[in-house]
Amino acid sequence: MKYQTAFDTSAGNISFENEAFFLKREDGYKLAWSDSLIYPGLSSTDRVRVSTTQAKRGEILDRNGRVLAGAGVASSVGIVPGELEDRDNAIGQIAELLTMEPEEIEKKLSAKWVKDDSFVPVKTLRKVEEIELMSLEPDEEALKEHERQQRLLEIPGVMISDMEVRSYPLKDAGAHLVGYVQNVTAEDLEKHADEGYTASSVIGRSGAEGLFERELKGQNGCRIYIVDSDGNEKEELARRIAENGQDIKLTIDSGLQKALYEQFQSDKSCSVAMNPYTGEVLALVSTPSYDDNDFIMGLSSEKWTALNEDENKPMYNRFRQAWCPGSVFKPIIAAIGLESGAIEPNKDYGNVGLSWQKDASWGSYYVTTLHAYDPVVLENALIYSDNIYFAKAALKIGAEEMKNSLLRLGFREEMPFEVVMAESQYSNTENIETEIQLADSGYGQGQILVNPLHMACIYTAFCNKGNVVKPYFVYCPDAEPEYWIPNAFSENTTSLVLEGSKKVINDPHGTGYAAHREDALLAGKTGTAEIKASKEDTSGTELGWFAIFTAENTVEHPILIVSMVEDVKERGGSGYVVGKEKEVLEGWFGKKE
């Protein structure tokens, strides 16, 4: 709410319109709402003062109560103008140390409110704690920052004081997930005119900070009172108590979030993790990333330009996009084929070698695969990741059945999730247009694009007797799992696909065998998707995928992880991703309550 006041001291009246206040009465303060409250008895020398109490912004917490966004301390570098010696030279030194232009500093010092003894804030810097400097191997960046601040303090007129700021402990590991706040702009104040923002407010710009802005921001308090000509308070007229923002507790496990980030931080990648039995989303990671604390300190134009022009796109949120899935899509095709009757799980499709085409109408186009094996049945096709088997299966399923089955699985619709994700697609048009496109769709190529969280949700059907779990992001200790797509597949279908997916991880011939563990029964699927400008393109890149999950609901820490890495060609394909996720699982299964 915004105060609308009309002052008329010569007439002795003050009018408060359309607001709730605590009004001072003889029997104490009383909450009142009035379209027009008139206060009589002001003298011509009295003045009305309005003071605002800033509401405390709520914290964002992980599932274990660890802070993802909360109050932190930074160093505010300021100048006391009257203490500057050789002003021009001093401002030049300060500007150089703070990577600012001298004109920026002069502009701040020339503000109307500034007096010789004023502390004029110039820039916010990272607070370097003594404990950081005393460690056996102090952080190099901390040492550099400490040295910079010491040099600033050597300049007469410079002061550094502590100030409370928003802080993001996960830094780069959580930036795309948590987001950041910034000071409101004139445009913000106009857009949110009746929502209680002031010129000193902050507003969530991205991630959870933006998503839960309304809950986090709280409501500022306000006090209206009368002072006499000497500034002495005569009477308090109205008060609204500040309401601090709500804390938001997420389902995220910050340890897992950080572990996934550290494994993939040098890649262009994304990872999602969830509990496949409850729908709790445990991690959402995009790499490369950026430090959201930089937005609190104030990004220089050079840093902002560097972030936006970096060819690896650190500001690009990859977990919200849809990607070509490759062979990680095969368990889904297997389930669709079994449901439609197009796949008979024990029927031998016959070994046709490493390349195949339906007939001469395909011209020079062949489907290729990497391994020959016998017998060519569903379970072995999953173990060896046989493109030819699933291309044949897709043709038997048929374009119309494939389209309708994928629509039932949530393709071309927005996911029921707090964070908006890109919609998955089966084609660039309304239909699967050609026989070759249909065949390629069978092994996750063609024009298939899938969001990683959507992929993870469909995989939950193999853990829940055919029911696709609804993902959620806000922690609730007693939440019962909800199904986004009940009975997506039959229990018999999911049992067959699950057994094949177990073999992918636990059979020595399985493409995901490197992630096999003795202490937990895992299932999953690898995938490598070719990204080419045309069918003839031989210089295209590859996306590597790996989906892996606990195959028994009795495990102490159930988990399902789906990761995608760009540019894995010549780097081991999906095997590169398997190795990374294996390391994450080492930490996950070693975790203690």
Side-chain angles (χ1 to χ4, degrees):
M1 291 181 290
K2 182 182 178 183
Y3 286 99
Q4 300 176 4
T5 58
F7 305 133
D8 181 2
T9 56
S10 62
N13 293 331
I14 308 174
S15 170
F16 306 96
E17 298 178 355
N18 302 320
E19 285 300 337
F21 297 98
F22 285 100
L23 299 180
K24 190 174 184 182
R25 296 157 44 107
E26 289 184 5
D27 57 349
Y29 287 96
K30 179 179 177 63
L31 179 64
W33 179 280
S34 176
D35 287 338
S36 183
L37 177 72
I38 307 299
Y39 192 89
L42 290 177
S43 74
S44 60
T45 59
D46 287 343
R47 294 290 181 267
V48 175
R49 295 287 182 262
V50 180
S51 64
T52 300
T53 304
Q54 291 288 333
K56 181 182 177 183
R57 190 173 180 86
E59 293 184 325
I60 302 174
L61 308 169
D62 86 342
R63 64 186 298 107
N64 299 306
R66 298 187 181 99
V67 175
L68 301 176
V73 179
S75 293
S76 176
V77 179
I79 298 172
V80 180
E83 296 182 12
L84 286 175
E85 299 174 3
D86 189 357
R87 180 181 172 115
D88 290 345
N89 183 54
I91 289 175
Q93 291 180 58
I94 296 166
E96 183 178 356
L97 285 166
L98 296 178
T99 61
M100 298 174 67
E101 293 297 326
E103 294 76 17
E104 293 179 73
I105 297 175
E106 288 283 10
K107 185 177 180 180
K108 293 176 185 291
L109 295 177
S110 62
K112 289 182 180 179
W113 63 270
V114 174
K115 297 180 174 59
D116 278 352
D117 60 351
S118 300
F119 175 81
V120 184
V122 175
K123 192 165 186 177
T124 305
L125 300 178
R126 169 187 172 185
K127 170 76 173 176
V128 182
E129 303 288 354
E130 287 295 324
I131 193 168
E132 294 182 80
L133 303 173
M134 294 170 62
S135 65
L136 292 175
E137 296 182 6
D139 178 61
E140 188 176 335
E141 291 300 316
L143 291 172
K144 287 181 179 178
E145 185 56 51
H146 178 69
E147 181 185 355
R148 172 166 70 158
Q149 293 184 25
Q150 291 303 306
R151 290 176 62 189
L152 283 163
L153 288 172
E154 291 171 3
I155 302 170
V158 174
M159 294 179 62
I160 299 179
S161 62
D162 288 350
M163 66 178 294
E164 186 174 305
V165 294
R166 195 70 163 170
S167 176
Y168 304 108
L170 280 182
K171 301 180 181 179
D172 305 55
H176 291 98
L177 164 70
V178 181
Y180 55 88
V181 296
Q182 287 184 309
N183 292 327
V184 296
T185 63
E187 291 78 10
D188 292 322
L189 292 174
E190 183 177 346
K191 182 179 179 182
H192 304 280
D194 298 317
E195 297 176 27
Y197 290 97
T198 68
S200 58
S201 298
V202 296
I203 191 168
R205 291 291 186 214
S206 68
E209 288 277 35
L211 183 65
F212 301 109
E213 170 64 18
R214 185 179 296 274
E215 295 85 352
L216 290 165
K217 81 177 188 68
Q219 178 67 60
N220 290 339
C222 185
R223 182 170 171 264
I224 302 176
Y225 55 97
I226 299 170
V227 297
D228 61 22
S229 57
D230 295 323
N232 299 312
E233 183 175 338
K234 290 179 63 177
E235 187 172 358
E236 182 180 86
L237 302 180
R239 183 202 304 176
R240 182 169 59 195
I241 298 170
E243 298 174 19
N244 292 334
Q246 301 174 32
D247 291 344
I248 300 294
K249 191 172 186 178
L250 303 180
T251 56
I252 296 298
D253 183 300
S254 58
L256 179 62
Q257 178 83 16
K258 189 174 181 181
L260 282 163
Y261 172 77
E262 288 176 347
Q263 283 299 317
F264 292 105
Q265 61 184 305
S266 61
D267 297 302
K268 291 180 284 185
S269 80
C270 59
S271 297
V272 302
M274 63 189 297
N275 182 323
Y277 305 104
T278 65
E280 295 169 286
V281 174
L282 301 171
L284 291 168
V285 181
S286 178
T287 65
S289 187
Y290 60 93
D291 187 347
D292 35 7
N293 291 289
D294 289 343
F295 285 86
I296 305 302
M297 303 303 172
L299 280 177
S300 66
S301 57
E302 291 81 5
K303 183 72 176 287
W304 176 248
T305 300
L307 279 173
N308 282 281
E309 294 182 356
D310 188 326
E311 62 180 11
N312 292 322
K313 300 181 180 179
M315 299 289 289
Y316 184 53
N317 190 332
R318 288 172 165 84
F319 66 68
R320 291 184 61 190
Q321 313 308 317
W323 306 88
C324 182
S327 296
V328 78
F329 200 58
K330 287 172 181 173
I332 298 170
I333 295 298
I336 292 172
L338 289 166
E339 287 290 289
S340 66
I343 292 178
E344 298 176 44
N346 296 315
K347 181 178 179 180
D348 189 343
Y349 275 34
N351 187 340
V352 295
L354 300 182
S355 66
W356 170 85
Q357 63 175 191
K358 181 189 173 187
D359 53 41
S361 68
W362 285 15
S364 61
Y365 186 70
Y366 286 80
V367 176
T368 61
T369 196
L370 295 176
H371 305 284
Y373 60 93
D374 281 307
V376 183
V377 296
L378 176 60
E379 187 174 277
N380 282 339
L382 287 167
I383 292 171
Y384 290 95
S385 198
D386 183 359
N387 291 345
I388 294 172
Y389 180 96
F390 286 98
K392 290 179 177 180
L395 293 177
K396 289 188 177 183
I397 291 167
E400 195 65 19
E401 178 64 32
M402 181 74 79
K403 167 187 168 179
N404 291 333
S405 295
L406 293 176
L407 287 172
R408 286 193 293 271
L409 290 173
F411 279 64
R412 286 185 176 255
E413 72 175 71
E414 188 174 312
M415 290 183 64
F417 188 59
E418 293 93 333
V419 180
V420 176
M421 301 289 185
E423 294 181 6
S424 299
Q425 69 167 56
Y426 55 81
S427 179
N428 296 338
T429 64
E430 289 293 322
N431 299 300
I432 298 173
E433 303 289 349
T434 68
E435 206 171 52
I436 289 177
Q437 183 188 344
L438 175 60
D440 286 345
S441 299
Y443 53 99
Q445 294 277 171
Q447 294 172 13
I448 300 283
L449 297 176
V450 187
N451 173 267
L453 182 60
H454 188 186
M455 179 77 76
C457 287
I458 298 175
Y459 265 66
T460 67
F462 307 132
C463 302
N464 294 285
K465 300 180 179 180
N467 298 299
V468 173
V469 166
K470 178 181 176 182
Y472 68 98
F473 192 44
V474 178
Y475 183 79
C476 180
D478 303 315
E480 292 292 326
E482 292 184 50
Y483 294 133
W484 171 21
I485 309 169
N487 304 311
F489 308 118
S490 70
E491 189 172 340
N492 183 59
T493 288
T494 54
S495 177
L496 287 168
V497 176
L498 179 60
E499 287 306 310
S501 301
K502 290 177 185 176
K503 295 287 182 66
V504 171
I505 307 299
N506 299 290
D507 187 299
H509 298 291
T511 54
Y513 184 70
H516 164 77
R517 299 182 65 85
E518 295 294 336
D519 59 348
L521 180 60
L522 302 173
K525 186 70 188 75
T526 58
T528 306
E530 294 182 323
I531 308 299
K532 302 191 294 186
S534 66
K535 294 186 182 298
E536 294 74 30
D537 181 12
T538 58
S539 60
T541 186
E542 292 179 353
L543 308 181
W545 288 79
F546 188 39
I548 189 165
F549 57 95
T550 46
E552 297 174 323
N553 62 7
T554 56
V555 69
E556 187 176 2
H557 298 294
I559 191 170
L560 187 162
I561 304 176
V562 176
S563 294
M564 183 283 303
V565 179
E566 298 181 52
D567 303 327
V568 295
K569 193 173 185 179
E570 312 299 335
R571 291 201 295 157
S574 61
Y576 176 83
V577 192
V578 172
K580 297 285 188 179
E581 283 195 13
K582 178 182 179 180
E583 292 301 314
V584 172
L585 291 172
E586 284 289 333
W588 178 258
F589 288 111
K591 71 183 275 136
K592 301 290 189 296
E593 291 292 354

